[in-house]
Amino acid sequence: MRISRIETFSVAPRWQFLRMETDDGVVGWGEPIVEGSADVVAAAVESLSEILIGADPTRIEDLWQTMTRGGFYRGGPERSSAISGIDQALWDIRGKVLGVPVHDLLGGAVRDRIRAYVWIGGDDPAEVATQAAARAAEGYTAVKMNASGRMRHLESRDAVRGVVERVASASEAMAGGDVAIDAHGRWTVSVARTMCRALEDNVAPLFLEEPLAPELTYRFGELCAGTSVAIATGERLYSRWDFRSALESGIALAQPDVSHAGGISETRRIAALAELHGVGLAPHCPLGPIALAACLQVDIASPNAVLQESSLGVHYNDGADLLDYLVDTEPLTVKDGWFERPTRPGLGIEVDEAAVRKAAGVGLWRSPLWRHEDGSHAEW
């Protein structure tokens, strides 16, 4: 069996799918994407195809090592994301050939289900209580919201109070459920300290995600040491080496993205490294159904997995939603706030290839560009 064909499809709302076919007709799917740079990732996939076409798809680890270490220059979000989607497709093929779900190949299931959480609010949150109540009515026991809009180097008491009040209103609407908050890397170290103190004193978020930008990962140690708020990070860390200092800093949750951090292969290794440091796993996944299916395979096989994000109904999903490219939505349907253990071969889903081909080629989504009131750049 040899890899004979690799294709990528850019589809609404902001996703990119990869189809890998073998010479005996087995098809595997992956999701190689950097939100806002799908075209660059597609070019990286095409470049890596020179290594893959004609290769044995069962040699997943050898291909992963060759793709990541075969060139003198390594890493970066676009190349790592291209490798991630390819890796997902390789695992999908292997599971389908053997007739087992991928988690069986990762050591087998350690749980029967994983707690789900989903987004509420938009990039610059205002009223979130109504959305939180709606999610609770759907059976979710946890949601996540952006903590704030753009933030300055130093912030006012009103800005801090606004974050606390929004989290409190969402928490009340969840009626016993949990609210996590995402700072989106918008805070400075000083603002993060102030915010953590205010959150400790007034509300108890399930976790605080990415309070600092990834280039400030080395500052997480002092932040974690000074707060009881559970700190999470990792969506912009792309390997176990990137995660090392974060895991040593005292974070509560590691959030590798299976479409950015080297696919199933590397995400599983990051999970094991997190376990070594007593850190939980909560894979980042604001993406499409293939990425989510890959996350679930890792969750089910990882002892320290805590909960799983999905993009169902997120504000980015304009033109298509999480389940729209599947033949059967049941494997990714949340039931009473949980994702059930996948049981079907490979990634456990059947992609609607006709729908993907029909939708392919849409305009590329680009990340928003924000500015402060003085005209300077603001973190989105």
Side-chain angles (χ1 to χ4, degrees):
M1 181 168 61
R2 299 288 167 176
I3 300 170
S4 60
R5 188 180 185 188
I6 299 173
E7 302 173 89
T8 56
F9 306 91
S10 177
V11 299
R14 56 173 192 156
W15 305 332
Q16 185 160 263
F17 299 159
L18 178 148
R19 181 185 183 275
M20 180 183 291
E21 185 174 353
T22 69
D23 55 7
D24 56 358
V26 182
V27 173
W29 290 87
E31 196 165 335
I33 182 69
V34 171
E35 303 92 304
S37 298
D39 49 350
V40 181
V41 177
V45 170
E46 184 177 0
S47 175
L48 290 165
S49 294
E50 297 175 9
I51 297 171
L52 298 163
I53 299 298
D56 180 353
T58 68
R59 299 187 63 174
I60 299 173
E61 183 61 25
D62 181 62
L63 289 172
W64 192 93
Q65 294 290 337
T66 302
M67 289 188 291
T68 56
R69 302 172 64 193
F72 183 73
Y73 295 99
R74 306 172 185 177
E78 283 84 7
R79 185 176 181 86
S80 181
S81 296
I83 293 169
S84 296
I86 291 166
D87 181 81
Q88 293 165 21
L90 290 169
W91 280 106
D92 193 27
I93 288 172
R94 190 62 174 150
K96 288 174 177 175
V97 168
L98 296 175
V100 297
V102 169
H103 62 75
D104 271 12
L105 307 177
L106 300 177
V110 297
R111 59 178 47 82
D112 297 319
R113 58 183 186 168
I114 184 81
R115 189 184 185 194
Y117 76 93
V118 70
W119 265 91
I120 58 172
D123 285 333
D124 195 350
E127 295 297 325
V128 291
T130 300
Q131 294 183 45
R135 292 301 194 174
E138 293 170 3
Y140 286 95
T141 62
V143 297
K144 184 171 74 177
M145 56 179 281
N146 265 321
S148 65
R150 69 203 73 197
M151 298 292 280
R152 298 169 296 185
H153 192 87
L154 298 174
E155 266 305 342
S156 65
R157 292 182 179 180
D158 284 345
V160 175
R161 188 180 302 113
V163 170
V164 171
E165 289 174 352
R166 284 191 294 273
V167 177
S169 67
S171 297
E172 182 178 357
M174 283 298 291
D178 291 309
V179 176
I181 57 176
D182 187 355
H184 223 244
R186 296 170 182 167
W187 298 348
T188 62
V189 175
S190 176
V191 170
R193 287 195 190 109
T194 301
M195 288 292 188
C196 284
R197 188 175 303 112
L199 292 168
E200 281 180 339
D201 292 342
N202 296 280
V203 293
L206 183 62
F207 61 82
L208 167 59
E209 177 176 328
E210 208 177 32
L212 305 177
E215 56 266 31
L216 294 175
T217 298
Y218 74 99
R219 302 292 301 272
F220 270 105
E222 60 192 271
L223 184 63
C224 292
T227 184
S228 62
V229 175
I231 304 296
T233 196
E235 69 182 87
R236 290 187 279 180
L237 303 177
Y238 309 118
S239 71
R240 73 199 96 151
W241 293 278
D242 286 351
F243 267 93
R244 179 177 173 177
S245 64
L247 294 173
E248 292 174 347
S249 72
I251 62 171
L253 291 175
Q255 297 177 299
D257 190 309
V258 75
S259 282
H260 302 330
I264 290 171
S265 295
E266 186 71 349
T267 301
R268 182 66 182 91
R269 288 189 282 260
I270 291 167
L273 187 60
E275 185 184 2
L276 173 67
H277 289 84
V279 174
L281 176 73
H284 180 258
C285 192
L287 297 171
I290 303 170
L292 176 58
C295 286
L296 293 175
Q297 299 295 335
V298 176
D299 291 330
I300 295 301
S302 300
N304 56 331
V306 178
L307 70 170
Q308 179 57 57
E309 178 179 22
S310 92
S311 71
L312 184 64
V314 72
H315 53 292
Y316 300 120
N317 291 357
D318 183 15
D321 212 330
L322 178 65
L323 307 178
D324 289 353
Y325 296 108
L326 298 181
V327 173
D328 180 4
T329 62
E330 193 276 336
L332 299 185
T333 299
V334 173
K335 300 173 183 177
D336 298 323
W338 299 83
F339 288 110
E340 299 294 331
R341 176 173 61 88
T343 59
R344 301 178 188 182
L347 294 180
I349 58 173
E350 183 180 356
V351 174
D352 187 339
E353 184 174 332
V356 171
R357 290 188 180 278
K358 182 178 180 180
V362 300
L364 294 171
W365 181 88
R366 298 297 188 191
S367 301
L369 295 175
W370 281 6
R371 293 195 177 275
H372 292 296
E373 60 187 0
D374 64 359
S376 62
H377 173 263
E379 290 282 355
W380 170 69

